[in-house]
Amino acid sequence: MIDFRSTPGARCVMLATMVIGAALAAACGDSTSSLGGSAGGRTDSEMHFMQTTDSTPPLAQKTLTFYAVSGRDTTVHLWYHARAGHTDSTEFLRFHVRAGSLVNRPDGTPIAPGDSLPITITVVDTAQMIVQFEPAGLTFAPSAPAHLTLDYREASLDLNGDGQVGTLDLALQPLLALWRQEAVGQPWLMLPTSVSLADSDEVEADVPGFTRYAIAY
């Protein structure tokens, strides 16, 4: 069994052997690659989270509460502050609740058409870009899941942690995915994810319900 928690140099060699071929194959195709879900799970110490840097601008807000209405499409965003000298800011999160997503409340009672439900999104770890959704236990209709997009343009692209952005880091980008964790301390599970590399630097996936989410490989 390979231990990924070794020194950066050793980790670089091992990761190169295991993933660079698959990553380059994905990169040679379309700029959007799809990754399957993970049947098992990973502990916090086994995860390779996307990380922010000292130069990453602060988020304009870390918590957002809005009302989703059954039968209505709703999309919300979280943004970074604009960098000094710039008027435009970078999007961090985009969350879309489809018209048919809401079915039952966490206690099992049905949500009638036109009923609204307060939803809160909180960035609970700005360094590792971990986002938590509430109310806990809310699930969406399998035929119309909600859709989550996280942007990593403001994050560090030194994915293998060796202090520089090199060929291996570029090869690892197509292997980024959205991972979900039901509660703190429980395993992380990978979602089927689309990775957009060409000009958006974002990962997106349908989400089955409310829990914690992060970008990792």
Side-chain angles (χ1 to χ4, degrees):
M1 180 176 180
I2 294 176
D3 183 4
F4 290 105
R5 293 163 289 173
S6 54
T7 63
R11 183 169 65 245
C12 180
V13 173
M14 290 186 291
L15 284 172
T17 302
M18 296 184 64
V19 307
I20 197 166
L24 288 176
C28 289
D30 191 89
S31 62
T32 300
S33 62
S34 295
L35 302 175
S38 174
R42 292 183 184 176
T43 64
D44 288 316
S45 61
E46 294 172 325
M47 293 292 289
H48 300 274
F49 293 105
M50 179 65 76
Q51 304 275 343
T52 56
T53 70
D54 291 340
S55 63
T56 300
L59 290 164
Q61 58 185 126
K62 296 180 181 179
T63 300
L64 169 66
T65 297
F66 68 98
Y67 280 85
V69 180
S70 179
R72 182 189 304 170
D73 284 294
T74 304
T75 302
V76 296
H77 308 260
L78 284 177
W79 299 85
Y80 291 102
H81 280 292
R83 290 180 177 274
H86 294 77
T87 56
D88 293 334
S89 58
T90 304
E91 183 182 55
F92 166 61
L93 175 149
R94 182 167 65 255
F95 183 63
H96 176 61
V97 181
R98 296 180 170 98
S101 294
L102 297 177
V103 179
N104 296 313
R105 303 179 189 277
D107 63 4
T109 58
I111 301 175
D115 282 357
S116 61
L117 180 74
I119 291 174
T120 298
I121 304 171
T122 305
V123 184
V124 294
D125 188 328
T126 55
Q128 298 188 128
M129 303 169 68
I130 300 174
V131 184
Q132 180 170 299
F133 287 77
E134 295 175 306
L138 179 70
T139 57
F140 300 112
S143 60
H147 194 78
L148 174 63
T149 303
L150 294 180
D151 191 303
Y152 62 89
R153 276 175 290 180
E154 297 291 358
S156 171
L157 294 182
D158 177 19
L159 300 182
N160 69 331
D162 66 354
Q164 59 185 353
V165 179
T167 302
L168 178 58
D169 299 303
L170 297 176
L172 285 169
Q173 282 192 53
L175 301 184
L176 293 171
L178 274 175
W179 292 69
R180 62 190 295 265
Q181 183 188 46
E182 285 297 328
V184 176
Q186 293 190 10
W188 287 89
L189 302 173
M190 188 176 72
L191 294 173
T193 301
S194 291
V195 186
S196 299
L197 302 173
D199 45 26
S200 55
D201 288 344
E202 61 186 26
V203 298
E204 56 183 309
D206 288 334
V207 295
F210 278 171
T211 177
R212 292 155 56 91
Y213 294 95
I215 307 174
Y217 72 87

